[in-house]
């Protein structure tokens, strides 16, 4: 069962990278994330209500749930949207996969979760892999690969931190659906505030590609995948659960090559191998 959860999470999120790239254009990233999280929040809490899941969050845990929503459902998603607007979605997903490194380190510092003895070597492999890909520069017409790399790295750090806070909330015995539903609303509010604070005007994109990718992201890559992912966090811990994001790029790179004409030359393949190998070292048992 854990293997099936792992595979579905990786496949749905792998497709989400390309769908996120399809969102770039008319509607600015913060507003796209806000709309997506509002829909996801209603679906998740509605599902919990139908299933009879307690949806109230005890007062002492509300700050942690809000922090998870801010990190995982606002900062990480806005940053990833910005990244895919500047570089191929497969490469952005590859950078995002380093969240397993950050999750392992943050979980160790914040929760005392043991990490593998291969952390240092794994982190080194990840750094080398990123350098192989991005130091020479990625020649994609109309894109800003280095700026995209910076945004993707922000998404990776926020995802790792949000995963760790999610593990804390599950340890507290909070229902996953309630945490995700309220967290999605916090993410929506934070994204909207971000847009207002940065004077980002709202613009509606009613094209088929935007609406189709929006529904995929809100339902399949948000509601369903969030529940699958945090069930993995409960079963495996934050570091090992984040390893799904080491598999996501394999799906995302193939889709990016097919639909975005990403050239899978030796720098991309060698860098990907180093990054994924680094994640394996970080998440392997001592």
């Amino acid at each position: 069962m854990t293997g099936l959860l792992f595979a579905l999470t990786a496949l749905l999120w792998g497709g989400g990278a390309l769908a996120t790239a399809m969102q770039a254009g008319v509607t600015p990233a913060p507003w796209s994330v806000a709309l997506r999280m509002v829909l996801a929040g209603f679906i998740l809490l509605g599902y919990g209500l139908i299933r009879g899941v307690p949806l109230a969050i005890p007062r002492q845990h509300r700050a942690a749930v809000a922090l998870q929503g801010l990190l995982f459902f606002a900062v990480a998603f806005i940053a990833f949207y910005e990244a895919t607007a500047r570089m191929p979605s497969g490469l952005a997903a590859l950078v995002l996969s380093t969240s397993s490194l950050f999750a392992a380190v943050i979980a160790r510092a914040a929760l005392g979760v043991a990490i593998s003895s291969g952390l240092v070597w794994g982190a080194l492999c990840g750094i080398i892999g990123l350098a192989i890909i991005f130091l020479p520069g990625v020649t994609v017409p109309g894109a800003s690969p280095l700026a995209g790399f910076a945004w993707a790295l922000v998404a990776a750090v926020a995802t790792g931190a949000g995963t760790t806070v999610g593990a804390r909330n599950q340890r507290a015995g909070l229902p996953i659906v309630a945490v995700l539903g309220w967290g999605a609303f916090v993410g929506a509010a934070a994204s909207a505030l971000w847009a207002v604070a940065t004077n980002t005007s709202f613009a509606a994109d009613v094209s088929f590609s935007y609406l189709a990718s929006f529904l995929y992201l809100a339902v399949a890559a948000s509601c369903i995948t969030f529940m699958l992912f945090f069930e993995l966090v409960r079963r495996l811990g934050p570091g090992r659960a984040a390893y799904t994001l080491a598999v996501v790029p394999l799906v995302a790179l193939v889709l990016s090559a097919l639909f975005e004409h990403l050239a899978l030359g030796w720098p991309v393949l060698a860098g990907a191998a180093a990054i994924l190998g680094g994640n394996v070292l970080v998440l392997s048992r001592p």
Side-chain angles (χ1 to χ4, degrees), residues 75-182:
V75 178
F77 279 89
I78 290 173
F80 193 70
Y81 270 64
E82 296 288 357
T84 58
R86 294 168 172 81
M87 63 193 298
S89 61
L91 294 182
L94 192 61
V95 178
L96 183 62
S97 76
T98 62
S99 65
S100 59
L101 309 179
F102 297 111
V105 173
I106 296 170
R108 174 61 176 171
L111 304 178
V113 177
I115 57 177
S116 73
S117 58
L119 173 62
V120 175
W121 289 109
L124 182 61
C125 285
I127 293 170
I128 291 174
L130 292 175
I132 290 173
I133 295 173
F134 290 100
L135 282 184
V138 183
T139 55
V140 179
S144 303
L146 294 182
F149 167 76
W151 278 110
L153 197 60
V154 170
V157 174
T159 299
T163 299
T164 303
V165 178
R168 177 267 172 208
N169 291 334
Q170 287 188 317
R171 284 186 173 186
L174 301 178
I176 295 177
V177 173
V179 171
L180 295 179
W182 292 118

Side-chain angles (χ1 to χ4, degrees), residues 14-24 81 89 209-210 212-214 216-217 221:
L18 180 61
T20 300
M22 294 169 64
Q23 297 270 285
Y81 270 64
S89 61
S209 62
Y210 182 89
S213 60
F214 176 81
Y216 177 87
L217 290 167

Side-chain angles (χ1 to χ4, degrees), residues 108-263:
R108 174 61 176 171
L111 304 178
V113 177
I115 57 177
S116 73
S117 58
L119 173 62
V120 175
W121 289 109
L124 182 61
C125 285
I127 293 170
I128 291 174
L130 292 175
I132 290 173
I133 295 173
F134 290 100
L135 282 184
V138 183
T139 55
V140 179
S144 303
L146 294 182
F149 167 76
W151 278 110
L153 197 60
V154 170
V157 174
T159 299
T163 299
T164 303
V165 178
R168 177 267 172 208
N169 291 334
Q170 287 188 317
R171 284 186 173 186
L174 301 178
I176 295 177
V177 173
V179 171
L180 295 179
W182 292 118
F185 280 130
V186 170
S191 299
L193 287 174
W194 184 321
V196 172
T198 56
N199 294 318
T200 303
S201 301
F202 176 78
D205 188 343
V206 294
S207 66
F208 175 78
S209 62
Y210 182 89
L211 295 177
S213 60
F214 176 81
L215 290 175
Y216 177 87
L217 290 167
V219 179
S222 293
C223 298
I224 296 174
T225 313
F226 290 163
M227 294 179 67
L228 294 175
F229 179 68
F230 282 103
E231 175 61 20
L232 285 174
V233 171
R234 185 185 70 81
R235 292 174 178 232
L236 302 176
R240 293 183 183 277
Y243 178 59
T244 54
L245 294 173
V247 181
V248 165
L250 300 179
V251 178
L253 283 172
V254 171
L255 293 176
S256 190
L258 291 174
F259 297 101
E260 297 177 313
H261 308 293
L262 172 65

Side-chain angles (χ1 to χ4, degrees), residues 256-280:
S256 190
L258 291 174
F259 297 101
E260 297 177 313
H261 308 293
L262 172 65
L264 297 179
W266 76 264
V268 172
L269 296 177
I275 292 170
L276 300 182
N279 283 330
V280 170

